[in-house]
Amino acid sequence: MSTDEIPSVWTRPRRSREQPALSRRQIVAEAVRLLDAEGLDALTMRRLGTRLEAGATSLYRHVANRDELIELVVDEVYGEIDIPDTDPADWRGAATTCAHSIRSMILRHPWIASVLGQVGLSYLGPNVMRLNERMMAMLDEAGFPPAEAGPAISTVVAFVIGTGLNEAAWLTMLARSGQTEQDWYRRFGPSLGQAMEPFPHLRAHFGANADQEPTRRREENFAYGLARVLDGLSPRRT
Amino acid sequence: MSTDEIPSVWTRPRRSREQPALSRRQIVAEAVRLLDAEGLDALTMRRLGTRLEAGATSLYRHVANRDELIELVVDEVYGEIDIPDTDPADWRGAATTCAHSIRSMILRHPWIASVLGQVGLSYLGPNVMRLNERMMAMLDEAGFPPAEAGPAISTVVAFVIGTGLNEAAWLTMLARSGQTEQDWYRRFGPSLGQAMEPFPHLRAHFGANADQEPTRRREENFAYGLARVLDGLSPRRT
DNA sequence: CCGTCGTGCGTACGTTGTTCGCATGGACGG
DNA sequence: CCGTCCATGCGAACAACGTACGCACGACGG
């Protein structure tokens, strides 16, 4: 007779089978969308729940906690990286396209920079394992000495991640303040000039390569560094 | 007459001039200690306040945000990195010791891995600027073409940061679960073997260089990668 | 027909960052 | 010497967070 039961009866008879309700894949996919749209701070259990038209705590039936969700999300975006299987002769070309693929993944999901330090590069997500396997196969078939294949991969991945981290953090900061790159330089150019005043070498190099558009310049710097890293790795072959 | 005033009178007549009370430097220093001891999650305004024998909200008189505090803390530990000014002939040796100095800073403060993605590598903290200036001077005097000095520094720094990020995240994860490296492998060895089962190349390389102690192996992998990166940069010198 | 199970969710608790306004006591002008 | 001001510390309060708990419901196996 208590009216307690009425609301639950009325508000939620909407249990229908056409709606698969909630699933782990759905949750992870929507989390990626939310992260892409609004960044890491916006990834709240409540907000994610609302986006899925579900209660916040419903997510816990499919995901242990927020940390596990983040690990799943990271592995998910690692899955976007694909490595073409090319002929062993062109291991350098394959490594180059692989590196670019990783970098563009990072730039597509800049929030990953805020998260990489918490999950590390090496855990056991299926997509990460597959990526490592492919890279390992690449260097094996190219004839790298077995003892060096691992360190070589770590080296180029460390470079790619380090560069991507830097760029992603910069872009995230810009996005959070709602500014474009030009806005920022116009706004903080003076302060920056003042901060660089005691540093002659920095002043001298400031504005180098400034003729290109920022995005293009970042790409070329990345390509340059990657080429140098692969140069260093090259002569060790066989 | 109300007893409201009594506690404040009794509990806090301890305003004495010998105690400089609170200062920005003190706060940052204590924050570093807290971070080193208990990691990023433990850096709470209340806990930090208590450690300084102060109220939590007192910190806001000297620091705008938690975010600003973190930026200050990052610049603080960047200050621990020193670059010896060596002769221009041995730029490679100088770069090597500089890279090792950065890496050991990261390993001394592993929490920085969780934070690097939020502040980026390039902001305008004085210590960071000084570090960049020194590295720039190093390569300038070594005769690097001006257009390449910047990208070259970015390359080696990206490698060092990437590697350090990876190692720091791994160590943080171990520390948080209170395990040693051997513990972890004993505990998750089977799961790991199972996860690697579909990946022949990973299986083949697993356990390579396993004869050395983990710390030593990480050091050697880092030295190897750094040497290769510098190899790649070397021939570009005029 | 009845128990059991998987799943969604309302409620609630403890903790966090941060704001606000008050209290305090030294500095300083008269 | 006194009154005023200002920098600083802090208690209380608030919104938002992650998450534990327990109940409700539909499906299903006996």
Side-chain angles (χ1 to χ4, degrees):
Chain A
M1 284 305 171
S2 69
T3 58
D4 293 335
E5 304 149 13
I6 294 180
S8 76
V9 166
W10 279 112
T11 58
R12 194 171 28 77
R14 43 186 58 256
R15 183 74 48 85
S16 57
R17 255 136 324 304
E18 358 286 331
Q19 307 283 57
L22 243 42
S23 87
R24 205 170 158 108
R25 237 189 312 277
Q26 260 191 353
I27 293 177
V28 173
E30 189 65 37
V32 171
R33 276 191 289 272
L34 178 53
L35 285 167
D36 288 346
E38 310 193 42
L40 183 62
D41 291 343
L43 182 63
T44 292
M45 301 307 267
R46 291 176 229 258
R47 291 197 55 164
L48 185 56
T50 320
R51 276 197 166 221
L52 291 159
E53 300 184 284
T57 66
S58 309
L59 307 175
Y60 287 89
R61 294 287 177 191
H62 307 267
V63 160
N65 40 26
R66 186 169 182 266
D67 286 347
E68 182 183 292
L69 174 63
I70 287 180
E71 287 189 25
L72 292 172
V73 154
V74 169
D75 188 74
E76 172 83 4
V77 297
Y78 263 103
E80 296 178 4
I81 302 168
D82 66 337
I83 318 174
D85 33 12
T86 59
D87 64 319
D90 189 26
W91 71 271
R92 184 171 172 132
T96 302
T97 72
C98 172
H100 276 91
S101 180
I102 298 180
R103 185 181 103 107
S104 68
M105 181 278 279
I106 295 180
L107 296 185
R108 218 165 26 239
H109 310 292
W111 45 266
I112 208 178
S114 327
V115 142
L116 273 188
Q118 302 176 31
V119 299
L121 277 52
S122 59
Y123 63 23
L124 315 95
N127 287 326
V128 175
M129 304 250 355
R130 205 175 44 201
L131 175 63
N132 285 332
E133 165 74 6
R134 298 296 298 274
M135 297 198 297
M136 206 60 111
M138 197 174 74
L139 262 52
D140 273 349
E141 291 166 14
F144 266 70
E148 285 193 20
I153 289 182
S154 299
T155 301
V156 45
V157 167
F159 164 75
V160 175
I161 301 276
T163 306
L165 183 86
N166 193 6
E167 300 187 45
W170 169 249
L171 293 179
T172 300
M173 188 254 257
L174 283 180
R176 192 160 38 195
S177 65
Q179 296 179 356
T180 121
E181 209 137 358
Q182 285 192 2
D183 289 343
W184 193 91
Y185 277 110
R186 273 197 243 287
R187 178 121 161 61
F188 293 108
S191 323
L192 195 137
Q194 185 182 352
M196 286 198 315
E197 191 269 333
F199 303 114
H201 291 89
L202 284 185
R203 281 209 320 275
H205 285 78
F206 180 69
N209 316 79
D211 46 335
Q212 328 177 50
E213 167 217 7
T215 304
R216 181 99 186 123
R217 184 188 37 193
R218 276 195 293 271
E219 268 171 19
E220 295 205 349
N221 281 354
F222 174 74
Y224 166 84
L226 178 62
R228 295 294 77 74
V229 171
L230 295 181
D231 282 351
L233 258 13
S234 291
R236 315 292 295 179
R237 203 163 70 78
T238 51
Chain B
M1 286 306 168
S2 67
T3 58
D4 293 334
E5 303 152 13
I6 293 180
S8 77
V9 167
W10 279 110
T11 59
R12 194 172 29 79
R14 42 185 61 254
R15 184 75 50 85
S16 57
R17 253 137 330 303
E18 0 286 329
Q19 307 283 58
L22 243 43
S23 87
R24 210 173 158 105
R25 236 189 314 276
Q26 260 192 352
I27 293 177
V28 173
E30 189 65 36
V32 171
R33 277 192 288 272
L34 178 55
L35 286 166
D36 288 344
E38 311 192 42
L40 184 62
D41 291 343
L43 183 63
T44 294
M45 302 306 267
R46 290 176 229 260
R47 290 198 54 166
L48 185 56
T50 322
R51 275 198 166 222
L52 291 160
E53 300 183 284
T57 64
S58 308
L59 307 174
Y60 287 88
R61 294 287 176 191
H62 307 267
V63 160
N65 284 348
R66 185 168 182 268
D67 286 348
E68 182 183 294
L69 173 62
I70 286 180
E71 287 190 24
L72 292 172
V73 153
V74 169
D75 189 72
E76 173 82 5
V77 297
Y78 263 103
E80 296 178 5
I81 302 168
D82 65 337
I83 318 173
D85 34 12
T86 59
D87 63 319
D90 189 27
W91 70 270
R92 184 169 171 135
T96 303
T97 72
C98 172
H100 276 90
S101 180
I102 297 180
R103 184 182 102 107
S104 68
M105 182 278 279
I106 295 180
L107 296 185
R108 221 168 21 241
H109 309 292
W111 45 265
I112 207 178
S114 326
V115 141
L116 272 187
Q118 303 176 30
V119 298
L121 277 51
S122 59
Y123 61 19
L124 316 95
N127 287 326
V128 175
M129 304 251 356
R130 206 175 43 201
L131 176 64
N132 284 332
E133 165 74 7
R134 298 295 297 275
M135 297 198 297
M136 208 59 112
M138 195 173 74
L139 262 53
D140 273 348
E141 292 166 13
F144 266 71
E148 285 192 20
I153 289 183
S154 299
T155 302
V156 45
V157 167
F159 164 75
V160 174
I161 300 276
T163 307
L165 184 86
N166 193 7
E167 300 187 46
W170 169 250
L171 293 180
T172 300
M173 188 254 257
L174 284 180
R176 193 161 37 195
S177 64
Q179 296 178 356
T180 123
E181 208 137 356
Q182 286 192 0
D183 289 344
W184 193 91
Y185 277 110
R186 273 197 242 288
R187 179 122 162 60
F188 293 108
S191 324
L192 194 139
Q194 186 182 351
M196 287 198 315
E197 192 270 331
F199 303 115
H201 291 89
L202 284 186
R203 281 210 319 277
H205 284 79
F206 179 67
N209 316 77
D211 47 334
Q212 329 176 50
E213 167 218 8
T215 303
R216 182 95 187 127
R217 183 187 38 191
R218 277 194 293 271
E219 269 171 18
E220 297 205 348
N221 280 354
F222 175 73
Y224 167 85
L226 178 63
R228 297 294 78 74
V229 171
L230 295 182
D231 282 352
L233 258 14
S234 289
R236 315 293 293 180
R237 201 166 68 85
T238 38

